[in-house]
Each structure stands twice: as C-alpha cells, then as structure tokens.
Amino acid sequence: MAKKLVNVSFVMPVLNEANYLAIAVESVFNQQCPGESELVIALGPSKDNTDEVAKRLKAKYGTRLQIVKNPRGITPAALNLAIKKAKHEVIVRVDAHSELSPDYTKLAVELLNKTGAANVGGMMVAKGTTDFQRAVAYGYNNRIGLGGGAFHVGGEAGPVETVYLGGFRAEGLKELGGFSETWVRGQDWELNQRNRSSGKVVWFDPRLQVGYF
C-alpha cells in the first residue's frame, strides 16, 4: 500500500508582484493542511519593491517561508527551483495573483490519496476589484467568453487532459524532470501531457477553486 500523503510544500513563482504578493501568501498560510506545510517563493529580478515585500513576509513567517532566487525570471525555471528546495511529499502550485479557496489544499491531498492521480486541480475563477475588472472576469468565467474547458467553466469530477495549477506528488514531478523550461507559456499543459503519456492520471474536481486577480 502506498504511503499516505500528508505534508505539503507550496511553490510560488514571483516577478513584479508587490501589489498582490501579501494577499497570495496570506491565502497559502490560511489553508487547512492535514500535516506540516511550507511555502517556497522563487523570486525573479523584479523592477518594483517585490523583494522588500518578500523580506517582510519572511520575517513574519520564519522557517515556514523559504525564498530562492530565480535569475532567469521565467515561470518554469522558478517552479523548478522552488520544487528543488521543497521538502514535503505534496507540491501545490500557487501564483502571486491567486487566492486559494480555504479548503483547497485539504481537499487536494484527500483526492491525491483517494484517486492515485499524479496531479489534481480544479477551476480558475477570475475576480476583479474594480467594476471594469469584474466585468472582464464575468466574461472570462463563462463559455461564451473563453470556451468550454472544465478548468474555466466547471464540469464533472474525473480524469481530464489538464487542470489549472494543481496539487502534485513530489516524487512524480521529480521522475518527470519537473517543468519544461522551454515552455515559457503553457508549461502546465505540457507537464500534464507528459503525465498522461506515462500512464498517470490528471484529475479535475470543480470544488478545487482558485481565485485569480
């Protein structure tokens, strides 16, 4: 019987995110986790005061928040650096423009254990803070505005081609060699394609929701 997954490392690529970083980090540390947890931030060469915000957050959270430098500044390189630093058996990817629903991580770990999937994820729910942003978010969250992908508009739980962000088995990520750094965009889809090509399952559940600003 496979060892039950319990402990979680969150990984977050960060570049020019001074206005959103604190919200995203608070979202992570408000998560319900079944075991120990940590957050690893991969800092790119930002042009705003992101580094100063990150230092203040590090002082607040201590050893639960780790910081690595990402000199290339691209997302897949940041993810791979953070994954290499991470110490736990579950990797949950988060973005600095994202806010996890309160039970996201608890449910993701439950689903990894229940389904045996390599990656479990759910829906990207666009949000806004101004009237214009909320109008754009409304269009982004429906089939007419963006098409019919389950991770945008919902659907039945089960195996899919890809999901938004997600919770991964750390061992499986390492076996695949992490994210491809030749894919500056679409690296989630490419990784999930490799997962499925190797016979592993990518699992969607609409209850796993991530707000995106």
Side-chain angles (χ1 to χ4, degrees):
M1 181 180 294
K3 182 180 178 181
K4 185 177 181 180
L5 304 173
V6 176
N7 303 312
V8 178
S9 293
F10 299 89
V11 296
M12 181 188 293
V14 176
L15 180 70
N16 296 321
E17 297 290 0
N19 293 332
Y20 295 95
L21 182 57
I23 296 173
V25 170
E26 293 290 343
S27 168
V28 167
F29 285 112
N30 285 334
Q31 287 293 291
Q32 303 173 34
C33 294
E36 296 180 1
S37 66
E38 66 172 356
L39 169 62
V40 185
I41 291 176
L43 282 179
S46 295
K47 296 180 180 179
D48 59 9
N49 66 332
T50 295
D51 286 12
E52 287 72 22
V53 175
K55 288 177 183 177
R56 291 198 297 270
L57 291 166
K58 169 64 176 173
K60 179 178 180 179
Y61 290 105
T63 58
R64 292 188 66 198
L65 175 57
Q66 303 295 326
I67 296 175
V68 295
K69 291 292 187 179
N70 172 30
R72 293 180 63 192
I74 62 172
T75 297
L79 290 168
N80 288 337
L81 287 165
I83 291 165
K84 185 177 180 180
K85 182 76 171 179
K87 65 182 182 181
H88 293 317
E89 65 266 25
V90 174
I91 302 291
V92 173
R93 179 183 169 179
V94 290
D95 284 341
H97 271 267
S98 65
E99 184 177 11
L100 303 177
S101 54
D103 60 349
Y104 182 97
T105 304
K106 180 175 180 288
L107 178 57
V109 174
E110 288 177 359
L111 289 170
L112 284 171
N113 284 314
K114 180 180 179 180
T115 66
N119 180 18
V120 300
M123 294 177 60
M124 182 177 95
V125 182
K127 295 185 176 182
T129 57
T130 67
D131 289 343
F132 175 75
Q133 290 172 346
R134 283 189 286 269
V136 172
Y138 175 80
Y140 202 85
N141 291 331
N142 68 68
R143 294 181 186 276
I144 296 175
L146 201 62
F151 64 93
H152 287 303
V153 298
E156 296 294 325
V160 290
E161 290 187 355
T162 193
V163 292
Y164 179 59
L165 304 183
F168 301 83
R169 296 174 183 271
E171 184 179 11
L173 272 178
K174 292 172 183 176
E175 288 175 355
L176 287 176
F179 289 85
S180 172
E181 297 184 14
T182 62
W183 286 64
V184 179
R185 296 286 184 273
Q187 65 275 158
D188 292 312
W189 181 88
E190 190 275 338
L191 176 66
N192 284 322
Q193 183 185 46
R194 280 188 282 136
N195 266 319
R196 291 185 294 106
S197 295
S198 66
K200 298 175 182 176
V201 173
V202 177
W203 189 271
F204 170 81
D205 193 302
R207 294 174 295 172
L208 292 170
Q209 298 195 2
V210 182
Y212 189 82
F213 295 91

Short mmCIF file of all heavy atoms in Angstrom, two decimals, residues 79 91 93 104 112 117-122 151 158-169 172-173 176-180 183 185-204:
data_model
loop_
_atom_site.label_atom_id
_atom_site.label_comp_id
_atom_site.label_asym_id
_atom_site.label_seq_id
_atom_site.Cartn_x
_atom_site.Cartn_y
_atom_site.Cartn_z
N LEU A 79 9.51 27.59 -10.93
CA LEU A 79 8.85 26.41 -10.36
C LEU A 79 9.86 25.31 -10.05
O LEU A 79 9.82 24.69 -8.98
CB LEU A 79 7.77 25.91 -11.31
CG LEU A 79 6.55 26.82 -11.44
CD1 LEU A 79 5.69 26.38 -12.63
CD2 LEU A 79 5.72 26.81 -10.16
N ILE A 91 3.30 18.76 -3.61
CA ILE A 91 3.63 20.08 -4.13
C ILE A 91 2.34 20.73 -4.62
O ILE A 91 1.66 20.18 -5.48
CB ILE A 91 4.63 20.01 -5.31
CG1 ILE A 91 5.92 19.32 -4.89
CG2 ILE A 91 4.89 21.40 -5.86
CD1 ILE A 91 6.77 20.07 -3.91
N ARG A 93 1.03 24.06 -6.45
CA ARG A 93 1.45 25.26 -7.17
C ARG A 93 0.47 26.41 -6.93
O ARG A 93 -0.75 26.24 -7.05
CB ARG A 93 1.55 24.98 -8.68
CG ARG A 93 1.96 26.25 -9.42
CD ARG A 93 2.01 26.11 -10.90
NE ARG A 93 2.15 27.44 -11.48
CZ ARG A 93 2.26 27.70 -12.77
NH1 ARG A 93 2.23 26.71 -13.64
NH2 ARG A 93 2.38 28.94 -13.20
N TYR A 104 -8.97 24.27 -0.15
CA TYR A 104 -8.34 23.79 -1.38
C TYR A 104 -7.30 22.70 -1.10
O TYR A 104 -7.35 21.60 -1.67
CB TYR A 104 -7.70 24.95 -2.12
CG TYR A 104 -7.05 24.60 -3.44
CD1 TYR A 104 -7.73 24.78 -4.64
CD2 TYR A 104 -5.75 24.10 -3.50
CE1 TYR A 104 -7.14 24.46 -5.86
CE2 TYR A 104 -5.15 23.77 -4.70
CZ TYR A 104 -5.85 23.96 -5.87
OH TYR A 104 -5.26 23.63 -7.08
N LEU A 112 -5.61 13.28 -3.96
CA LEU A 112 -4.38 12.58 -4.36
C LEU A 112 -4.35 11.18 -3.74
O LEU A 112 -4.01 10.20 -4.42
CB LEU A 112 -3.15 13.37 -3.93
CG LEU A 112 -2.79 14.61 -4.75
CD1 LEU A 112 -1.69 15.40 -4.06
CD2 LEU A 112 -2.36 14.23 -6.16
N ALA A 117 -4.00 9.90 -8.44
CA ALA A 117 -3.60 10.76 -9.55
C ALA A 117 -2.23 11.39 -9.31
O ALA A 117 -1.77 11.52 -8.18
CB ALA A 117 -4.65 11.86 -9.75
N ALA A 118 -1.59 11.78 -10.42
CA ALA A 118 -0.31 12.49 -10.34
C ALA A 118 -0.52 13.96 -10.05
O ALA A 118 0.32 14.61 -9.43
CB ALA A 118 0.46 12.33 -11.65
N ASN A 119 -1.64 14.50 -10.51
CA ASN A 119 -1.96 15.92 -10.34
C ASN A 119 -3.46 16.05 -10.18
O ASN A 119 -4.22 15.45 -10.93
CB ASN A 119 -1.48 16.73 -11.55
CG ASN A 119 -1.78 18.22 -11.44
OD1 ASN A 119 -2.04 18.73 -10.36
ND2 ASN A 119 -1.71 18.91 -12.56
N VAL A 120 -3.89 16.80 -9.20
CA VAL A 120 -5.32 17.11 -9.04
C VAL A 120 -5.48 18.62 -9.04
O VAL A 120 -4.67 19.35 -8.47
CB VAL A 120 -5.91 16.51 -7.74
CG1 VAL A 120 -5.77 15.01 -7.74
CG2 VAL A 120 -5.25 17.10 -6.50
N GLY A 121 -6.51 19.10 -9.72
CA GLY A 121 -6.73 20.54 -9.79
C GLY A 121 -8.17 20.83 -10.12
O GLY A 121 -8.98 19.91 -10.33
N GLY A 122 -8.48 22.10 -10.19
CA GLY A 122 -9.86 22.48 -10.43
C GLY A 122 -9.99 23.70 -11.30
O GLY A 122 -9.38 23.78 -12.37
N PHE A 151 -11.66 23.53 -16.54
CA PHE A 151 -10.97 24.32 -15.52
C PHE A 151 -11.34 25.81 -15.59
O PHE A 151 -10.96 26.59 -14.72
CB PHE A 151 -9.45 24.14 -15.57
CG PHE A 151 -8.79 24.62 -16.83
CD1 PHE A 151 -8.27 25.90 -16.90
CD2 PHE A 151 -8.66 23.79 -17.93
CE1 PHE A 151 -7.63 26.35 -18.06
CE2 PHE A 151 -8.03 24.22 -19.09
CZ PHE A 151 -7.52 25.50 -19.16
N GLY A 158 -13.32 14.02 -12.47
CA GLY A 158 -12.80 12.84 -13.15
C GLY A 158 -11.52 13.15 -13.91
O GLY A 158 -11.00 14.28 -13.87
N PRO A 159 -10.98 12.16 -14.63
CA PRO A 159 -9.75 12.36 -15.41
C PRO A 159 -9.96 13.37 -16.53
O PRO A 159 -11.00 13.38 -17.19
CB PRO A 159 -9.46 10.96 -15.98
CG PRO A 159 -10.21 10.01 -15.09
CD PRO A 159 -11.45 10.76 -14.66
N VAL A 160 -8.95 14.22 -16.76
CA VAL A 160 -9.01 15.25 -17.80
C VAL A 160 -7.63 15.39 -18.45
O VAL A 160 -6.66 14.78 -18.01
CB VAL A 160 -9.45 16.61 -17.24
CG1 VAL A 160 -10.91 16.60 -16.81
CG2 VAL A 160 -8.55 17.03 -16.07
N GLU A 161 -7.56 16.22 -19.49
CA GLU A 161 -6.28 16.47 -20.14
C GLU A 161 -5.38 17.36 -19.29
O GLU A 161 -4.17 17.15 -19.19
CB GLU A 161 -6.49 17.11 -21.52
CG GLU A 161 -7.09 16.19 -22.55
CD GLU A 161 -7.11 16.82 -23.93
OE1 GLU A 161 -6.74 18.02 -24.04
OE2 GLU A 161 -7.48 16.12 -24.88
N THR A 162 -5.97 18.40 -18.69
CA THR A 162 -5.17 19.32 -17.89
C THR A 162 -6.06 20.04 -16.89
O THR A 162 -7.29 20.01 -17.00
CB THR A 162 -4.42 20.34 -18.77
OG1 THR A 162 -3.42 21.02 -17.99
CG2 THR A 162 -5.37 21.37 -19.37
N VAL A 163 -5.43 20.66 -15.89
CA VAL A 163 -6.14 21.42 -14.87
C VAL A 163 -5.37 22.72 -14.62
O VAL A 163 -4.22 22.88 -15.05
CB VAL A 163 -6.28 20.65 -13.55
CG1 VAL A 163 -7.22 19.47 -13.71
CG2 VAL A 163 -4.92 20.20 -13.02
N TYR A 164 -6.00 23.63 -13.92
CA TYR A 164 -5.34 24.89 -13.56
C TYR A 164 -4.49 24.68 -12.30
O TYR A 164 -4.98 24.19 -11.29
CB TYR A 164 -6.39 25.97 -13.32
CG TYR A 164 -5.82 27.32 -12.92
CD1 TYR A 164 -4.93 27.98 -13.77
CD2 TYR A 164 -6.15 27.91 -11.72
CE1 TYR A 164 -4.39 29.20 -13.42
CE2 TYR A 164 -5.63 29.14 -11.36
CZ TYR A 164 -4.74 29.78 -12.21
OH TYR A 164 -4.21 30.99 -11.86
N LEU A 165 -3.21 25.03 -12.39
CA LEU A 165 -2.26 24.86 -11.27
C LEU A 165 -2.31 23.41 -10.77
O LEU A 165 -2.00 22.50 -11.51
CB LEU A 165 -2.56 25.86 -10.15
CG LEU A 165 -2.57 27.34 -10.57
CD1 LEU A 165 -2.82 28.23 -9.36
CD2 LEU A 165 -1.31 27.73 -11.30
N GLY A 166 -2.71 23.18 -9.50
CA GLY A 166 -2.88 21.80 -9.05
C GLY A 166 -1.98 21.39 -7.90
O GLY A 166 -1.07 22.10 -7.49
N GLY A 167 -2.31 20.21 -7.38
CA GLY A 167 -1.52 19.58 -6.34
C GLY A 167 -0.88 18.32 -6.91
O GLY A 167 -1.56 17.50 -7.53
N PHE A 168 0.41 18.18 -6.73
CA PHE A 168 1.19 17.11 -7.36
C PHE A 168 1.84 16.21 -6.32
O PHE A 168 2.15 16.63 -5.20
CB PHE A 168 2.33 17.71 -8.20
CG PHE A 168 1.90 18.62 -9.30
CD1 PHE A 168 1.64 19.96 -9.05
CD2 PHE A 168 1.80 18.16 -10.61
CE1 PHE A 168 1.27 20.83 -10.07
CE2 PHE A 168 1.44 19.02 -11.64
CZ PHE A 168 1.17 20.35 -11.36
N ARG A 169 2.14 14.99 -6.73
CA ARG A 169 3.03 14.12 -5.98
C ARG A 169 4.45 14.57 -6.28
O ARG A 169 4.89 14.55 -7.43
CB ARG A 169 2.83 12.67 -6.40
CG ARG A 169 1.45 12.13 -6.08
CD ARG A 169 1.24 10.73 -6.65
NE ARG A 169 -0.11 10.31 -6.36
CZ ARG A 169 -0.47 9.66 -5.25
NH1 ARG A 169 0.46 9.33 -4.36
NH2 ARG A 169 -1.73 9.33 -5.04
N GLY A 172 6.54 12.12 -8.26
CA GLY A 172 6.20 12.05 -9.68
C GLY A 172 6.76 13.22 -10.46
O GLY A 172 7.22 13.06 -11.61
N LEU A 173 6.74 14.42 -9.87
CA LEU A 173 7.31 15.59 -10.53
C LEU A 173 8.80 15.39 -10.80
O LEU A 173 9.31 15.73 -11.88
CB LEU A 173 7.12 16.83 -9.66
CG LEU A 173 5.81 17.61 -9.81
CD1 LEU A 173 5.79 18.77 -8.81
CD2 LEU A 173 5.65 18.15 -11.22
N LEU A 176 9.54 13.02 -13.68
CA LEU A 176 9.33 13.63 -15.00
C LEU A 176 10.37 14.70 -15.32
O LEU A 176 10.41 15.20 -16.44
CB LEU A 176 7.94 14.26 -15.06
CG LEU A 176 6.75 13.31 -15.15
CD1 LEU A 176 5.45 14.10 -15.12
CD2 LEU A 176 6.81 12.45 -16.41
N GLY A 177 11.19 15.08 -14.35
CA GLY A 177 12.17 16.14 -14.59
C GLY A 177 11.62 17.53 -14.39
O GLY A 177 12.21 18.51 -14.85
N GLY A 178 10.47 17.64 -13.72
CA GLY A 178 9.89 18.96 -13.44
C GLY A 178 9.26 19.58 -14.67
O GLY A 178 8.92 18.90 -15.64
N PHE A 179 9.11 20.89 -14.63
CA PHE A 179 8.51 21.64 -15.73
C PHE A 179 9.55 21.88 -16.82
O PHE A 179 10.73 22.11 -16.55
CB PHE A 179 7.98 22.98 -15.22
CG PHE A 179 6.75 22.87 -14.36
CD1 PHE A 179 6.87 22.63 -13.00
CD2 PHE A 179 5.48 23.01 -14.90
CE1 PHE A 179 5.74 22.52 -12.19
CE2 PHE A 179 4.35 22.91 -14.10
CZ PHE A 179 4.49 22.65 -12.74
N SER A 180 9.10 21.83 -18.07
CA SER A 180 9.98 22.11 -19.19
C SER A 180 10.27 23.61 -19.26
O SER A 180 9.34 24.42 -19.39
CB SER A 180 9.35 21.66 -20.51
OG SER A 180 10.13 22.10 -21.60
N TRP A 183 9.16 25.90 -22.32
CA TRP A 183 7.78 26.35 -22.44
C TRP A 183 7.57 27.54 -21.49
O TRP A 183 7.19 27.37 -20.34
CB TRP A 183 6.81 25.22 -22.10
CG TRP A 183 6.71 24.17 -23.16
CD1 TRP A 183 7.70 23.33 -23.58
CD2 TRP A 183 5.56 23.86 -23.94
NE1 TRP A 183 7.23 22.51 -24.57
CE2 TRP A 183 5.92 22.81 -24.81
CE3 TRP A 183 4.25 24.37 -23.98
CZ2 TRP A 183 5.02 22.26 -25.73
CZ3 TRP A 183 3.35 23.81 -24.89
CH2 TRP A 183 3.74 22.78 -25.75
N ARG A 185 5.25 29.72 -21.78
CA ARG A 185 3.80 29.68 -21.58
C ARG A 185 3.33 28.24 -21.79
O ARG A 185 3.94 27.48 -22.52
CB ARG A 185 3.07 30.61 -22.58
CG ARG A 185 3.40 32.07 -22.44
CD ARG A 185 2.74 32.68 -21.22
NE ARG A 185 2.97 34.11 -21.13
CZ ARG A 185 4.02 34.68 -20.56
NH1 ARG A 185 4.95 33.93 -20.02
NH2 ARG A 185 4.16 35.99 -20.53
N GLY A 186 2.24 27.88 -21.15
CA GLY A 186 1.65 26.57 -21.36
C GLY A 186 2.40 25.43 -20.72
O GLY A 186 2.20 24.25 -21.08
N GLN A 187 3.26 25.74 -19.74
CA GLN A 187 4.04 24.67 -19.11
C GLN A 187 3.19 23.70 -18.31
O GLN A 187 3.54 22.52 -18.17
CB GLN A 187 5.16 25.24 -18.25
CG GLN A 187 4.74 26.04 -17.04
CD GLN A 187 4.44 27.51 -17.34
OE1 GLN A 187 3.74 28.14 -16.58
NE2 GLN A 187 4.98 28.05 -18.42
N ASP A 188 2.02 24.16 -17.79
CA ASP A 188 1.11 23.25 -17.08
C ASP A 188 0.57 22.18 -18.03
O ASP A 188 0.56 20.99 -17.70
CB ASP A 188 -0.07 24.02 -16.48
CG ASP A 188 0.35 24.94 -15.36
OD1 ASP A 188 1.10 24.49 -14.48
OD2 ASP A 188 -0.06 26.11 -15.36
N TRP A 189 0.11 22.63 -19.19
CA TRP A 189 -0.44 21.69 -20.17
C TRP A 189 0.61 20.69 -20.61
O TRP A 189 0.34 19.48 -20.70
CB TRP A 189 -0.97 22.46 -21.38
CG TRP A 189 -1.57 21.57 -22.42
CD1 TRP A 189 -2.85 21.13 -22.50
CD2 TRP A 189 -0.87 20.95 -23.52
NE1 TRP A 189 -3.01 20.29 -23.58
CE2 TRP A 189 -1.81 20.17 -24.21
CE3 TRP A 189 0.44 21.01 -23.97
CZ2 TRP A 189 -1.46 19.43 -25.35
CZ3 TRP A 189 0.79 20.26 -25.09
CH2 TRP A 189 -0.16 19.49 -25.77
N GLU A 190 1.82 21.18 -20.90
CA GLU A 190 2.88 20.29 -21.37
C GLU A 190 3.25 19.25 -20.32
O GLU A 190 3.43 18.07 -20.64
CB GLU A 190 4.11 21.14 -21.75
CG GLU A 190 5.20 20.37 -22.49
CD GLU A 190 6.16 19.63 -21.57
OE1 GLU A 190 6.27 20.01 -20.37
OE2 GLU A 190 6.79 18.66 -22.02
N LEU A 191 3.32 19.67 -19.04
CA LEU A 191 3.64 18.72 -17.97
C LEU A 191 2.53 17.68 -17.83
O LEU A 191 2.81 16.49 -17.67
CB LEU A 191 3.83 19.47 -16.65
CG LEU A 191 4.08 18.58 -15.43
CD1 LEU A 191 5.41 17.86 -15.55
CD2 LEU A 191 4.04 19.41 -14.15
N ASN A 192 1.29 18.12 -17.88
CA ASN A 192 0.18 17.17 -17.75
C ASN A 192 0.11 16.21 -18.94
O ASN A 192 -0.29 15.05 -18.79
CB ASN A 192 -1.14 17.93 -17.59
CG ASN A 192 -1.29 18.50 -16.19
OD1 ASN A 192 -0.89 17.86 -15.21
ND2 ASN A 192 -1.84 19.69 -16.08
N GLN A 193 0.53 16.67 -20.11
CA GLN A 193 0.60 15.76 -21.25
C GLN A 193 1.64 14.67 -20.99
O GLN A 193 1.39 13.49 -21.29
CB GLN A 193 0.96 16.53 -22.52
CG GLN A 193 0.99 15.64 -23.77
CD GLN A 193 1.46 16.38 -24.99
OE1 GLN A 193 2.45 17.11 -24.94
NE2 GLN A 193 0.76 16.21 -26.10
N ARG A 194 2.78 15.04 -20.42
CA ARG A 194 3.79 14.03 -20.09
C ARG A 194 3.30 13.08 -19.01
O ARG A 194 3.59 11.88 -19.04
CB ARG A 194 5.09 14.71 -19.65
CG ARG A 194 5.94 15.21 -20.82
CD ARG A 194 7.29 15.69 -20.36
NE ARG A 194 7.22 17.01 -19.76
CZ ARG A 194 7.84 17.37 -18.64
NH1 ARG A 194 8.55 16.48 -17.97
NH2 ARG A 194 7.76 18.60 -18.19
N ASN A 195 2.55 13.62 -18.06
CA ASN A 195 1.96 12.75 -17.05
C ASN A 195 1.06 11.69 -17.69
O ASN A 195 1.17 10.49 -17.40
CB ASN A 195 1.13 13.58 -16.05
CG ASN A 195 1.91 13.97 -14.81
OD1 ASN A 195 2.66 13.18 -14.25
ND2 ASN A 195 1.73 15.21 -14.37
N ARG A 196 0.18 12.13 -18.57
CA ARG A 196 -0.77 11.21 -19.20
C ARG A 196 -0.06 10.24 -20.14
O ARG A 196 -0.43 9.07 -20.24
CB ARG A 196 -1.85 11.99 -19.93
CG ARG A 196 -2.78 12.76 -18.98
CD ARG A 196 -3.93 13.45 -19.70
NE ARG A 196 -3.48 14.51 -20.58
CZ ARG A 196 -3.44 14.45 -21.90
NH1 ARG A 196 -3.87 13.35 -22.52
NH2 ARG A 196 -3.01 15.47 -22.62
N SER A 197 0.98 10.71 -20.83
CA SER A 197 1.72 9.84 -21.74
C SER A 197 2.45 8.72 -21.00
O SER A 197 2.71 7.65 -21.56
CB SER A 197 2.74 10.66 -22.55
OG SER A 197 2.07 11.57 -23.40
N SER A 198 2.77 8.97 -19.72
CA SER A 198 3.45 7.95 -18.91
C SER A 198 2.46 7.06 -18.17
O SER A 198 2.85 6.25 -17.33
CB SER A 198 4.39 8.62 -17.91
OG SER A 198 3.68 9.39 -16.95
N GLY A 199 1.17 7.23 -18.48
CA GLY A 199 0.15 6.37 -17.89
C GLY A 199 -0.44 6.88 -16.59
O GLY A 199 -1.22 6.17 -15.94
N LYS A 200 -0.11 8.11 -16.21
CA LYS A 200 -0.62 8.67 -14.96
C LYS A 200 -1.89 9.47 -15.21
O LYS A 200 -2.20 9.85 -16.34
CB LYS A 200 0.45 9.54 -14.31
CG LYS A 200 1.70 8.75 -13.93
CD LYS A 200 2.79 9.65 -13.41
CE LYS A 200 4.05 8.85 -13.08
NZ LYS A 200 5.17 9.71 -12.65
N VAL A 201 -2.60 9.74 -14.14
CA VAL A 201 -3.91 10.41 -14.22
C VAL A 201 -3.80 11.86 -13.78
O VAL A 201 -3.15 12.17 -12.78
CB VAL A 201 -4.95 9.67 -13.35
CG1 VAL A 201 -6.27 10.44 -13.29
CG2 VAL A 201 -5.18 8.27 -13.90
N VAL A 202 -4.45 12.73 -14.54
CA VAL A 202 -4.67 14.13 -14.14
C VAL A 202 -6.14 14.23 -13.79
O VAL A 202 -7.01 13.93 -14.61
CB VAL A 202 -4.29 15.09 -15.27
CG1 VAL A 202 -4.58 16.53 -14.86
CG2 VAL A 202 -2.83 14.92 -15.67
N TRP A 203 -6.44 14.67 -12.57
CA TRP A 203 -7.80 14.61 -12.04
C TRP A 203 -8.37 16.00 -11.81
O TRP A 203 -7.74 16.84 -11.18
CB TRP A 203 -7.81 13.83 -10.73
CG TRP A 203 -9.17 13.52 -10.19
CD1 TRP A 203 -9.93 14.29 -9.35
CD2 TRP A 203 -9.94 12.33 -10.45
NE1 TRP A 203 -11.12 13.67 -9.08
CE2 TRP A 203 -11.16 12.47 -9.73
CE3 TRP A 203 -9.72 11.18 -11.19
CZ2 TRP A 203 -12.14 11.49 -9.76
CZ3 TRP A 203 -10.70 10.21 -11.22
CH2 TRP A 203 -11.90 10.36 -10.50
N PHE A 204 -9.57 16.23 -12.32
CA PHE A 204 -10.28 17.51 -12.14
C PHE A 204 -11.38 17.35 -11.11
O PHE A 204 -12.11 16.35 -11.10
CB PHE A 204 -10.89 17.96 -13.46
CG PHE A 204 -11.84 19.12 -13.33
CD1 PHE A 204 -11.37 20.42 -13.26
CD2 PHE A 204 -13.22 18.91 -13.30
CE1 PHE A 204 -12.24 21.50 -13.12
CE2 PHE A 204 -14.10 19.97 -13.17
CZ PHE A 204 -13.60 21.27 -13.08
#
